Amino acid sequence: MTGAGEEPFIAAVKPLVDAIGGEMVPPDEAGQDDVVLSWEGADVVAVRLPQLADSLDHILAALERRQGMPLADLDRRAKQEVVRMLEARGAFSVRHGVETVAGALGVSRFTVYNYLNREKGA
């Protein structure tokens, strides 16, 4: 899939692909919705982007790793901060986003809406 000069390019983009929950595939296996990345005029790797709902799950898992504990174990202020960050990233435009986030935080949908409305009123 890669030549020697392409390895640093793949190593450079891998953290970004991992952060978005994407998958790297050989460029000749790229599908219509995949993003083919080129380096020095040659197609090097294709990135298969996750479905939006999968991205939200990936973001929530990354937040748990960063916090070092389940999101449901966070205090109220920390949960409000998580909701603010997720709103900024568009998490609530995903179908069932509020329900997914509420489940991860161990709160009701009403509480998530309350956090969102509090932010808009501030």
Side-chain angles (χ1 to χ4, degrees):
M1 172 167 94
T2 62
E6 298 160 348
E7 293 295 334
F9 177 78
I10 291 175
V13 299
K14 186 174 183 338
L16 175 61
V17 173
D18 289 347
I20 64 170
E23 175 187 1
M24 291 200 271
V25 297
D28 58 347
E29 294 179 18
Q32 170 179 339
D33 295 329
D34 296 338
V35 178
V36 177
L37 303 177
S38 299
W39 179 253
E40 297 180 348
D43 292 344
V44 177
V45 67
V47 177
R48 185 155 296 149
L49 301 172
Q51 299 297 313
L52 287 176
D54 294 338
S55 291
L56 180 54
D57 290 338
H58 187 79
I59 290 167
L60 290 167
L63 283 170
E64 281 198 346
R65 284 191 303 275
R66 190 178 312 151
Q67 296 290 336
M69 68 175 70
L71 297 178
D73 293 347
L74 297 174
D75 64 25
R76 184 171 55 93
R77 176 170 275 145
K79 288 178 182 182
Q80 289 170 335
E81 183 60 35
V82 166
V83 168
R84 270 193 293 277
M85 189 276 307
L86 291 170
E87 182 180 29
R89 294 183 71 176
F92 302 111
S93 63
V94 175
R95 186 171 186 215
H96 303 298
V98 171
E99 292 87 349
T100 301
V101 171
L105 293 176
V107 299
S108 69
R109 287 180 11 216
F110 176 79
T111 299
V112 172
Y113 283 119
N114 192 17
Y115 292 167
L116 289 168
N117 289 334
R118 177 172 295 142
E119 190 58 25
K120 287 178 174 58

